[in-house]
Amino acid sequence: GITENDYGAGQTVLLNWHADEGPRALTASIIRQAMTGWGAGPGDTVLGIYTQSSASYRAKYGPKTQQILNALGFGVQWIRADELPGRSGPVIGVVPNCYVATADDAEALAGAVRAGGHLLFIDGPLWGIQHRPLADALGLAKEGRFFDGLSALVPKEPSDLFTVDTSRLSVEAAAKLPDLWWQFQAGHITDLVRDVGARARSLPRPVAVSACVFPRLSVARSMVQDWPRWVREGLIDHAVPMAYTLSDARLREYIADWRTVQKDLSRIVPGLMVYQSDANTAPRDSAEVLEQLEICREAGMTGAALFASPQVSEELLEALATGPWAR
């Protein structure tokens, strides 16, 4: 969607979607019309504006906006919103992905427009329009309702700004694409695991093939790591889920999840943390480690991996030798 608003002596335009990731010809056409309509000519430099609190977004999305502007013949000078009040004359600028703004930032942006400036926003400042000056400058009172799902946008007439061929891809076919893309990627990774396992087992000595994997199946899937398949098809001898948690309850949740992969858990050897935290890598209390080992033993697992060796203390070795490893 596009909104346009006159405010004071200036004007704002808002492209309320990831326009920099959409059809480039369409986005470039809108930006060109805005910049030239506001008086910027080829070779001119326009402002790229961001707030301190949205600096990370600028770092992520700003280069895309600059690429479009440069391709249109405009230079870009990046400044923070709090630097606007000190500038002389009306400004012409682009404000990409500026989701967060302080009250002072909102006033600086609005003040530049009131004074005759022209700003094009790419993606709305969702949390910045809580400040009245920015809401007034954009002509929007609050964030709108999001819509989710897959839809087809069918133009009423042909356009050279974007390609449309409804005969090639239906909404139903498009809905299947994410899963097909996942299968394509996961399949190649699985082929690699299969090949490495086969080569390792062909060596002239006994070899066990294992893989450290993400403990939550949902996370493993999002990382395109189909380790349940590796276990089911025997491509690895052991999956080693990185169950690095201090919580016994969470470890039990992991184990319940793993039973959906292999009921008897015979090919699953969990990795347990023997340090206190990522911020404090001192050895963990031995009794806590032994308790998690007992949870795994009670679940029917044949063993566990301890991570990591620098934190395996003499105290823990003694506790293991006189406890679960006594035999």
Side-chain angles (χ1 to χ4, degrees):
I2 304 172
T3 65
E4 183 179 4
N5 190 53
D6 294 324
Y7 179 64
Q11 187 181 58
T12 60
V13 169
L14 168 64
L15 308 186
N16 198 22
W17 76 89
H18 279 284
D20 48 12
E21 298 177 2
R24 289 298 180 90
L26 177 61
T27 304
S29 176
I30 294 171
I31 294 177
R32 181 192 294 111
Q33 289 182 59
M35 297 296 117
T36 57
W38 291 337
D44 287 350
T45 296
V46 300
L47 296 179
I49 304 167
Y50 65 99
T51 65
Q52 187 64 45
S53 48
S54 67
S56 61
Y57 296 112
R58 175 246 168 162
K60 181 177 182 179
Y61 299 111
K64 298 179 183 178
T65 301
Q66 178 156 347
Q67 185 180 26
I68 295 173
L69 285 162
N70 291 161
L72 292 172
F74 299 108
V76 182
Q77 178 189 354
W78 290 98
I79 68 168
R80 294 192 314 272
D82 59 14
E83 298 176 279
L84 285 169
R87 302 185 67 86
S88 60
V91 302
I92 298 175
V94 179
V95 190
N97 308 91
C98 180
Y99 304 116
V100 187
T102 65
D104 290 342
D105 292 330
E107 174 54 38
L109 290 164
V113 181
R114 277 198 308 268
H118 298 80
L119 297 181
L120 183 145
F121 290 77
I122 298 180
D123 250 22
L126 289 177
W127 303 285
I129 59 170
Q130 62 180 307
H131 305 299
R132 183 64 182 272
L134 189 52
D136 288 345
L138 290 170
L140 300 170
K142 59 182 180 180
E143 65 180 79
R145 180 179 61 84
F146 289 87
F147 65 88
D148 192 14
L150 191 64
S151 303
L153 300 178
V154 182
K156 292 187 176 296
E157 59 185 41
S159 171
D160 58 1
L161 296 179
F162 50 89
T163 302
V164 175
D165 187 351
T166 55
S167 66
R168 293 183 61 186
L169 186 65
S170 65
V171 172
E172 293 73 23
K176 298 176 182 177
L177 288 178
D179 192 55
L180 291 173
W181 175 234
W182 184 88
Q183 291 178 37
F184 172 79
Q185 296 177 92
H188 280 295
I189 297 172
T190 295
D191 287 344
L192 175 64
V193 172
R194 179 184 291 108
D195 183 55
V196 170
R199 289 168 184 261
R201 292 186 180 105
S202 69
L203 295 172
R205 57 183 180 275
V207 172
V209 180
S210 65
C212 292
V213 297
F214 292 98
R216 286 198 187 279
L217 299 185
S218 58
V219 174
R221 180 175 175 82
S222 70
M223 300 300 290
V224 205
Q225 187 186 67
D226 193 7
W227 69 262
R229 178 181 175 186
W230 309 345
V231 171
R232 287 194 302 268
E233 296 184 10
L235 304 184
I236 56 178
D237 297 299
H238 296 102
V240 185
M242 298 176 284
Y244 308 146
T245 177
L246 299 177
S247 168
D248 294 347
R250 181 168 298 165
L251 177 59
R252 289 188 173 94
E253 290 175 6
Y254 289 160
I255 292 172
D257 210 15
W258 303 335
R259 284 198 189 280
T260 65
V261 177
Q262 188 187 33
K263 191 173 182 179
D264 67 2
L265 303 172
S266 60
R267 287 185 180 272
I268 299 176
V269 177
L272 305 178
M273 64 187 290
V274 295
Y275 53 97
Q276 295 185 25
S277 70
D278 290 339
N280 179 11
T281 57
R284 189 178 173 192
D285 184 88
S286 297
E288 296 178 1
V289 177
L290 264 58
E291 175 61 27
Q292 290 199 338
L293 281 169
E294 181 63 16
I295 291 171
C296 296
R297 189 195 64 77
E298 289 177 350
M301 295 177 177
T302 57
L306 302 181
F307 184 82
S309 58
Q311 286 81 37
V312 176
S313 63
E314 291 298 325
E315 177 192 347
L316 177 57
L317 286 174
E318 183 178 352
L320 291 168
T322 57
W325 292 353
R327 295 192 302 272

